[in-house]
Amino acid sequence: MPDFYKPGTFAACSLVVLAALSGCDQKSNEATVADTVVTPATATEQSLWPRVQSAVKKDPAIEAKITELLGKLSLEQKVGQLIQPELRLVTPADVTEYSLGSILNGGGSFPGENKHAKVEDWIALADAFYNASMSTEGGRVPVPVMWGTDAVHGHNNIIGATLFPHNIALGATRNPELIKQIGAATAAEIAVTGIDWSFAPTLAVVRDDRWGRTYESYSEDPAVVKSYGGKMVEGLQGVAGADLLSERHVIATAKHFLADGGTEGGQDRGDAKISEEELVKIHNAGYETALAAGAQTVMASFSSWQDVKMHGNKYLLTDQLKNQMGFDGLVVGDWNGHAFVSGCTPVSCPQAINAGLDIFMAPDANWKELYHNTLAQVKSGEISQARLDDAVSRILRVKLRAGLFEKGAPSTRELAGKREVIGSPEHRAVARQAVRESVVLLKNNAQALPAKASSKILVAGDGADNIGKQSGGWSITWQGTGNVNADFPGGTSIYQGIADAAKAAGGSAVLSVDGSYSEKPDVAFVVFGEDPYAEMQGDVGALIYKNEASLALLKKLKADGIKVVSLFITGRPLWANNFINASDAFAVVWLPGSEGVGIADVVLTKADGSINFDVKGKLPFSWPASPAQSPLNVGDADYKPQFAYDFGLTYSDKIETGLLDETAAQVVAANAPDTASIFNQRVMNPWTLVLLDHMNNMLPVTTSRGELGAVVVSSEDKQVQEDSRRLQFNGTAKATVSLGSTTRTDFSAYAQSKGALVFDVKVNAKPGTAVNLGMYCGSDCVGEIPVTEQLNAAAVGEWTSVSIALECFAKKRVKMDMVLAPFMLSTAGTLDVSIYNVRIEKNATAPACAE
């Protein structure tokens, strides 16, 4: 979370179509984590789900206070506790007027929208929100507001913060105690800015590495995630019975419940079509320890389980999480995640609250409309008073346990405003340790590593001196883009770490991004790999790394007789056999964050030539033997990876890696037929015809007629019986007709061959308003092209052809190698058209793309 687009728009609607296709003193009554027990249900209960005993026990004094407050709060104040607006669209005055229970800042959101906002700016705004929430104006009962932030690898929205390696790298360390230290350091830096709540840890067990959030997962192995979940919660929140939620700690969030890493095809916000046994055994593993450690909040996932959106899944949110596993904290939604529940919109979703959601994350400007609708739904009984009181009780319980009623204004707390804590030497030392322990060595022929620090070193590649690239997504900005090294004061690039170590040992290091040199080096470190991305924007259709410039650089340096060491920056395993073959040594450095110096600790010797730190990292994910080998997980029946899960060389290993097979990457565009049929007299595999209304309701049409909301589709005869479809929009609301699939299709060969989306159309009645034709590959991966003019220009009752160049969709951010819906026709007005022979064609004639 979050994702910056507007649910209810084309992107949000498309997603649903495709988803359809497929505190107080508690020491006296708290146990330590060592005393917590996670036990399976008894045979008589017939439950696959465990019972979890939290280290944080209910305190009678807190429960009495909750009861007292519930008796005083007005209905309006209670509903206000359920609404969480975003920083950019809420004011302190709003907090008072609506009795808002919490606010958030998403990735790339800052006070005053100033990326370089100072610690004092954060504290001042935190104070303003807090003071507004404690107002007694109009007889209002003061309840302190909570501020939540996406601190997923350190306090990553703050300039100068320590940015730890992303979770995938931490999974390579196999060091749970280090995870706890990272959590504690992150909590302290968050506390400096007056924020109460971190939306971490992510406990996804990723099973298909094509997912754009793979790097937010510790491992494909649920045992690793399980060993980390509780430790990160302890680091962030403190330990029950000791320093739980002290002023040096913050509220943790176990996310995203549940199976966000198990979606079919690795699709962001997709559907986990798995058994309940797999859901519990694999994807619940991290939650067991996180809840046992006392995690106070859980975030619902955008994704679905067996076609039911998690934000509306009462069976999982209430029956299993709250009742069976005993979770007594609060469930918060993800960025407008409620809007995707069937029958819901961004401004109305009683279904989510009734399912067990306690807080709407409502980041759009229309959050006030959501507040008023929710209030009306409580008054009408659509949301019961009991469910409202339960939600508010859970919110109050978390606030009371966190001591927010006693801690006072953020500026008065222990670490408030202490800028020296942000990026402190102690925190950077923890991050540096994590970096060096996370490096995984896949190849080390002729003992190329560790390289002598006293030698002549060339450091090349676009990632060599690029802290933004090595930090990845969720680094100051949401996508991690638009940053320069100056945005990471106190941090070190990989080059700088190598250069400093070489200088100290009497050697030298020269930076040359393109690999040119005047004096031949003894060794060349080439730093390259994935550019930053976050969430859906990182989804890929195949696990392959392509970069001709980097590959050519490796080959040139090797041809020059230079020892070549590749340092590969990546957020997931990727087929890169050609790059590995062109290297003497190949080390995966993942996304190390701000402390690039940790790489030098491992890859260079001490001044005397002895090993400084041995390489320790082990693969947390299986490494593919071909670009199409996903899903790929240890334990699979036909498990044949290039490098197995848990692989990782050490310097004591004397393994020589032979040439790896490079043929798997050879995809010839000519092998694709000239035409890919989507609808030709019938819907072609793997596509399905689906209707979507403005309320996220959907209807797959598998017979000759279907009707949903403002659109009717029916079979029609063009040349033979029922070989076309008539689409009639009545204009009462927005509606969409889609041809989509839950599996991705690679149309890149067509895009490379001047391809176009082509369909035959007969206009029966001209459009009453704008009509758009879209192509979709996931949330924030959608392109809409206006086709109103073409339809208006067509003669009524006569068949004609419409062509849209694939290039036009690509310019709208559609990824042609991972298309989920190649045809989506939508309008909010009246329209009556018939369609026939929808296809993707190579070398098609199509109008130029509009600027």
Side-chain angles (χ1 to χ4, degrees):
M1 73 122 310
D3 193 350
F4 292 91
Y5 74 100
K6 306 294 185 184
T9 64
F10 182 87
C13 294
S14 303
L15 178 64
V16 178
V17 170
L18 297 169
L21 295 171
S22 63
C24 295
D25 182 10
Q26 305 166 64
K27 296 182 181 179
S28 62
N29 53 26
E30 291 168 350
T32 65
V33 171
D35 298 325
T36 62
V37 179
V38 179
T39 57
T42 65
T44 57
E45 291 174 310
Q46 297 182 333
S47 176
L48 294 169
W49 298 80
R51 290 194 179 278
V52 180
Q53 302 206 10
S54 174
V56 181
K57 308 303 181 185
K58 282 189 176 174
D59 182 337
I62 287 178
E63 297 307 304
K65 182 65 174 177
I66 292 170
T67 301
E68 178 190 345
L69 286 168
L70 281 177
K72 294 179 179 179
L73 291 170
S74 67
L75 192 60
E76 289 76 11
Q77 283 193 271
K78 290 178 180 179
V79 171
Q81 292 297 303
L82 276 57
I83 308 296
Q84 184 181 89
E86 210 276 335
L87 182 65
R88 287 169 286 198
L89 296 166
V90 65
T91 66
D94 290 331
V95 171
T96 301
E97 181 177 354
Y98 292 91
S99 298
L100 297 174
S102 58
I103 59 168
L104 81 144
N105 65 277
S109 181
F110 321 96
E113 299 196 40
N114 177 15
K115 173 179 171 179
H116 295 274
K118 298 178 181 178
V119 166
E120 293 82 359
D121 299 324
W122 289 86
I123 284 286
L125 191 52
D127 268 4
F129 285 129
Y130 172 83
N131 291 332
S133 72
M134 301 305 286
S135 168
T136 57
E137 147 187 330
R140 188 180 170 280
V141 178
V143 177
V145 69
M146 292 188 293
W147 183 341
T149 189
D150 281 298
V152 299
H153 68 133
H155 197 13
N156 43 252
N157 272 21
I158 306 296
I159 297 287
T162 309
L163 297 190
F164 297 91
H166 272 292
N167 286 356
I168 191 170
L170 300 182
T173 71
R174 305 295 202 277
N175 190 341
E177 289 304 318
L178 180 61
I179 302 307
K180 183 177 177 180
Q181 294 177 50
I182 290 170
T186 300
E189 297 199 15
I190 294 171
V192 170
T193 56
I195 294 174
D196 315 288
W197 186 5
S198 175
F199 298 135
T202 297
L203 300 174
V205 182
V206 175
R207 308 295 283 176
D208 192 321
D209 306 343
R210 290 173 291 184
W211 189 32
R213 304 188 79 153
T214 296
Y215 66 80
E216 294 188 53
S217 172
Y218 296 119
S219 178
E220 72 187 39
D221 183 357
V224 172
V225 180
K226 188 172 186 176
S227 72
Y228 281 12
K231 292 297 184 181
M232 182 57 82
V233 169
E234 286 186 331
L236 287 167
Q237 290 191 170
V239 177
D243 57 351
L244 180 72
L245 292 170
S246 73
E247 293 189 5
R248 304 184 70 89
H249 291 93
V250 296
I251 300 161
T253 307
K255 71 180 190 183
H256 308 85
F257 192 82
L258 187 62
D260 51 341
T263 62
E264 192 170 65
Q267 182 187 344
D268 193 51
R269 309 184 180 197
D271 187 19
K273 295 181 179 298
I274 58 177
S275 68
E276 187 168 0
E277 182 178 8
E278 185 176 345
L279 187 71
V280 177
K281 181 179 178 181
I282 293 177
H283 298 283
N284 195 52
Y287 292 90
E288 294 182 15
T289 54
L291 297 182
Q296 290 298 290
T297 74
V298 169
M299 183 178 289
S301 177
F302 267 114
S303 59
S304 306
W305 176 50
Q306 297 182 355
D307 286 331
V308 179
K309 284 292 177 185
M310 206 61 61
H311 279 66
N313 196 318
K314 183 178 183 294
Y315 177 73
L316 293 181
L317 293 183
T318 297
D319 297 349
Q320 301 307 332
L321 174 62
K322 292 180 175 180
N323 295 341
Q324 173 67 19
M325 291 197 287
F327 175 63
D328 65 2
L330 68 85
V331 176
V332 62
D334 206 339
W335 190 274
N336 258 337
H338 59 278
F340 299 101
V341 175
S342 181
C344 291
T345 70
V347 297
S348 178
C349 194
Q351 295 93 324
I353 297 298
N354 290 334
L357 194 75
D358 300 309
I359 294 178
F360 288 116
M361 186 178 284
D364 288 348
N366 55 12
W367 63 262
K368 295 176 184 178
E369 190 176 348
L370 176 64
Y371 166 87
H372 288 296
N373 285 336
T374 304
L375 180 61
Q377 288 151 4
V378 173
K379 289 179 177 179
S380 71
E382 194 170 359
I383 298 172
S384 71
Q385 184 69 50
R387 173 75 268 266
L388 175 66
D389 284 352
D390 175 59
V392 176
S393 294
R394 291 170 175 276
I395 296 165
L396 292 173
R397 183 175 295 119
V398 172
K399 292 181 177 184
L400 287 162
R401 284 174 172 169
L404 298 186
F405 284 83
E406 294 79 33
K407 285 179 178 176
S411 61
T412 67
R413 300 172 192 170
E414 180 183 349
L415 294 181
K418 293 188 176 179
R419 284 173 286 175
E420 66 274 14
V421 174
I422 301 285
S424 70
E426 294 80 8
H427 294 169
R428 292 190 186 278
V430 174
R432 182 172 179 171
Q433 177 187 347
V435 171
R436 63 175 175 255
E437 290 188 13
S438 69
V439 175
V440 177
L441 188 57
L442 297 184
K443 178 180 180 179
N444 194 24
N445 285 6
Q447 297 292 286
L449 289 177
K452 290 184 178 180
S454 58
S455 58
K456 290 182 291 186
I457 301 169
L458 177 71
V459 188
D462 66 349
D465 192 33
N466 191 332
I467 302 176
K469 178 160 181 161
Q470 73 190 38
S471 296
W474 298 103
S475 298
I476 306 177
T477 61
W478 172 45
Q479 291 290 320
T481 55
N483 298 316
V484 296
N485 283 359
D487 292 325
F488 303 91
T492 53
S493 68
I494 293 173
Y495 157 71
Q496 192 60 57
I498 292 173
D500 290 347
K503 182 178 180 180
S508 63
V510 174
L511 174 67
S512 173
V513 172
D514 65 2
S516 59
Y517 56 86
S518 55
E519 183 179 5
K520 186 177 180 179
D522 300 313
V523 61
F525 288 98
V526 183
V527 189
F528 62 96
E530 290 191 303
D531 291 324
Y533 56 81
E535 300 195 43
M536 166 55 220
Q537 293 192 22
D539 280 10
V540 294
L543 294 178
I544 184 170
Y545 178 70
K546 298 178 182 178
N547 189 307
E548 293 303 321
S550 294
L551 184 60
L553 175 57
L554 294 175
K555 291 180 176 180
K556 174 188 178 299
L557 292 168
K558 196 167 177 62
D560 289 349
I562 299 168
K563 183 163 56 177
V564 177
V565 176
S566 287
L567 302 178
F568 190 45
I569 294 172
T570 185
R572 64 186 131 216
L574 290 170
W575 187 91
N577 285 7
N578 42 2
F579 293 86
I580 297 172
N581 287 339
S583 311
D584 293 291
F586 191 94
V588 183
V589 300
W590 310 109
L591 299 168
S594 61
E595 307 312 297
V597 63
I599 304 298
D601 290 342
V602 175
V603 300
L604 296 181
T605 65
K606 295 179 181 178
D608 62 6
S610 63
I611 291 175
N612 187 19
F613 288 94
D614 199 357
V615 60
K616 297 174 65 175
K618 303 298 179 184
L619 284 178
F621 289 85
S622 304
W623 200 273
S626 83
Q629 200 174 20
S630 189
L632 173 68
N633 297 290
V634 64
D636 289 351
D638 186 26
Y639 184 65
K640 296 178 181 178
Q642 187 68 68
F643 299 98
Y645 169 83
D646 208 38
F647 179 85
L649 298 172
T650 67
Y651 288 145
S652 62
D653 293 319
K654 310 297 180 185
I655 297 174
E656 293 294 306
T657 303
L659 288 177
L660 306 179
D661 181 20
E662 297 186 16
T663 60
Q666 295 174 3
V667 179
V668 181
N671 288 342
D674 289 341
T675 300
S677 291
I678 299 165
F679 177 92
N680 189 5
Q681 300 188 27
R682 60 184 174 85
V683 181
M684 310 300 289
N685 285 331
W687 314 109
T688 300
L689 179 64
V690 175
L691 308 183
L692 178 72
D693 71 9
H694 69 294
M695 292 289 290
N696 285 339
N697 297 304
M698 56 76 197
L699 177 70
V701 180
T702 56
T703 60
S704 59
R705 187 182 188 278
E707 179 176 357
L708 181 67
V711 64
V712 175
V713 62
S714 56
S715 297
E716 187 176 88
D717 301 345
K718 180 179 186 289
Q719 295 177 336
V720 297
Q721 182 177 347
E722 296 190 352
D723 63 352
S724 61
R725 296 291 182 271
R726 186 174 184 179
L727 317 179
Q728 295 171 284
F729 299 79
N730 65 26
T732 58
K734 185 174 181 179
T736 302
V737 177
S738 168
L739 289 161
S741 171
T742 56
T743 58
R744 301 188 185 280
T745 296
D746 185 353
F747 287 126
S748 57
Y750 295 89
Q752 294 161 12
S753 303
K754 297 182 179 179
L757 169 61
V758 185
F759 65 100
D760 297 338
V761 62
K762 174 166 63 79
V763 176
N764 305 309
K766 296 198 174 185
T769 188
V771 182
N772 290 318
L773 183 63
M775 190 172 288
Y776 169 83
C777 54
S779 57
D780 206 35
C781 183
V782 60
E784 279 189 294
I785 307 297
V787 291
T788 318
E789 289 186 13
Q790 292 96 314
L791 297 180
N792 274 323
V796 173
E798 296 183 10
W799 286 95
T800 187
S801 182
V802 173
S803 299
I804 307 291
L806 297 184
E807 175 190 10
C808 302
F809 292 109
K811 287 181 177 180
K812 299 279 189 176
R813 296 196 299 187
V814 174
K815 296 182 178 181
M816 288 298 154
D817 64 339
M818 49 190 290
V819 173
L820 288 164
F823 180 95
M824 299 191 76
L825 192 72
S826 63
T827 183
T830 56
L831 177 66
D832 185 349
V833 296
S834 300
I835 59 171
Y836 174 82
N837 195 14
V838 182
R839 69 267 191 199
I840 305 291
E841 288 185 357
K842 289 182 179 178
N843 301 308
T845 300
C849 303
E851 293 299 328

